[in-house]
Amino acid sequence: LAKTTQPISMDSYEGQEVNITCSHNNIATNDYITWYQQFPSQGPRFIIQGYKTKVTNEVASLFIPADRKSSTLSLPRVSLSDTAVYYCLAELYSGSARQLTFGSGTQLTVLP
Amino acid sequence: DSGVTQTPKHLITATGQRVTLRCSPRSGDLSVYWYQQSLDQGLQFLIQYYNGEERAKGNILERFSAQQFPDLHSELNLSSLELGDSALYFCASSGRTGEEAFFGQGTRLTVV
């Protein structure tokens, strides 16, 4: 079972780039890594998903090194509204079985 | 609005009771996932269904069960409830396994 770990909290200032790293041990070669954003009293919201190397969309980038034992979510030029909890999610395929494991979440606080 | 509908939004019940949580996925989505979020355990994957069949099972207790019906809505049944079952229960849906999942707003269960 893949386990994911991430920092409990991070602070940043508006306009800065924020990088949040998630470590996932024993991730299988065909696992995706997904990142979600969650605001209080709301369900998680998809940010980005990747398998290897680099993925970029309109809100974030995801960097996954060759060994895939970690992934880094990069948020360019954060704003106050980016204050939220960010979760990484590792998907593990084992034959026909599949386990999804969230990290414990990183509370990002963006300061003015 | 993610397009995923969960009912009820809030539920208060006594220990030992049984409740049913309902989820209507986004139109066309075949996969439904159930997650539990509590203060001490964080986000935990419970179970996934794909087009009516169980696809993956996570940290789901034997007292809990789920199913997905022909119209693709899903129900999560929680029985012999304990105080520790108090949590937010999220449902998410996606088109296929591995695709971006969209979360509902959750059902807040309080066991007293």
Side-chain angles (χ1 to χ4, degrees):
Chain A
L1 177 65
K3 290 190 176 182
T4 57
T5 57
Q6 50 183 125
I8 294 174
S9 63
M10 294 181 72
D11 290 344
S12 181
Y13 290 96
E14 278 191 292
Q16 289 189 332
E17 177 184 76
V18 170
N19 296 308
I20 306 174
T21 296
C22 178
S23 299
H24 19 78
N25 64 341
N26 299 324
I27 192 168
T29 56
N30 57 346
D31 286 1
Y32 283 90
I33 297 110
T34 310
W35 284 81
Y36 287 88
Q37 176 192 56
Q38 187 179 28
F39 297 107
S41 303
Q42 294 187 21
R45 188 169 68 98
F46 174 89
I47 302 174
I48 197 166
Q49 182 181 71
Y51 176 69
K52 61 180 178 180
T53 62
K54 178 183 175 181
V55 178
T56 298
N57 62 21
E58 63 275 10
V59 298
S61 294
L62 179 60
F63 300 91
I64 304 171
D67 66 6
R68 292 171 40 81
K69 292 186 177 180
S70 67
S71 61
T72 299
L73 172 71
S74 181
L75 304 172
R77 298 180 300 280
V78 294
S79 64
L80 296 177
S81 62
D82 293 319
T83 294
V85 180
Y86 292 82
Y87 293 93
C88 61
L89 173 66
E91 300 182 28
L92 172 67
Y93 291 89
S94 178
S96 60
R98 185 164 160 264
Q99 283 280 3
L100 296 166
T101 306
F102 277 98
S104 54
T106 298
Q107 170 67 58
L108 172 65
T109 302
V110 179
L111 305 169
Chain B
D1 183 7
S2 66
V4 178
T5 303
Q6 290 187 247
T7 57
K9 286 187 171 51
H10 302 277
L11 194 52
I12 301 175
T13 190
T15 55
Q17 296 297 306
R18 172 190 170 95
V19 297
T20 297
L21 312 184
R22 182 187 171 98
C23 171
S24 294
R26 290 190 319 155
S27 177
D29 282 357
L30 299 179
S31 271
V32 171
Y33 310 75
W34 286 98
Y35 298 89
Q36 178 194 58
Q37 186 171 33
S38 59
L39 284 175
D40 58 343
Q41 295 285 333
L43 271 166
Q44 299 279 326
F45 166 64
L46 296 178
I47 198 164
Q48 179 205 357
Y49 280 83
Y50 180 82
N51 202 20
E53 294 190 2
E54 183 183 304
R55 174 61 66 90
K57 185 175 284 190
N59 301 319
I60 187 167
L61 301 172
E62 288 190 6
R63 299 184 285 108
F64 296 179
S65 65
Q67 56 182 333
Q68 186 179 29
F69 295 86
D71 66 353
L72 300 178
H73 91 272
S74 178
E75 292 181 356
L76 179 66
N77 300 296
L78 315 176
S79 61
S80 301
L81 285 168
E82 302 174 358
L83 296 178
D85 297 327
S86 295
L88 260 175
Y89 291 84
F90 286 107
C91 167
S93 75
S94 70
R96 293 182 299 181
T97 298
E99 288 187 350
E100 172 184 352
F102 293 84
F103 281 72
Q105 292 298 299
T107 293
R108 181 170 295 280
L109 173 66
T110 303
V111 182
V112 298

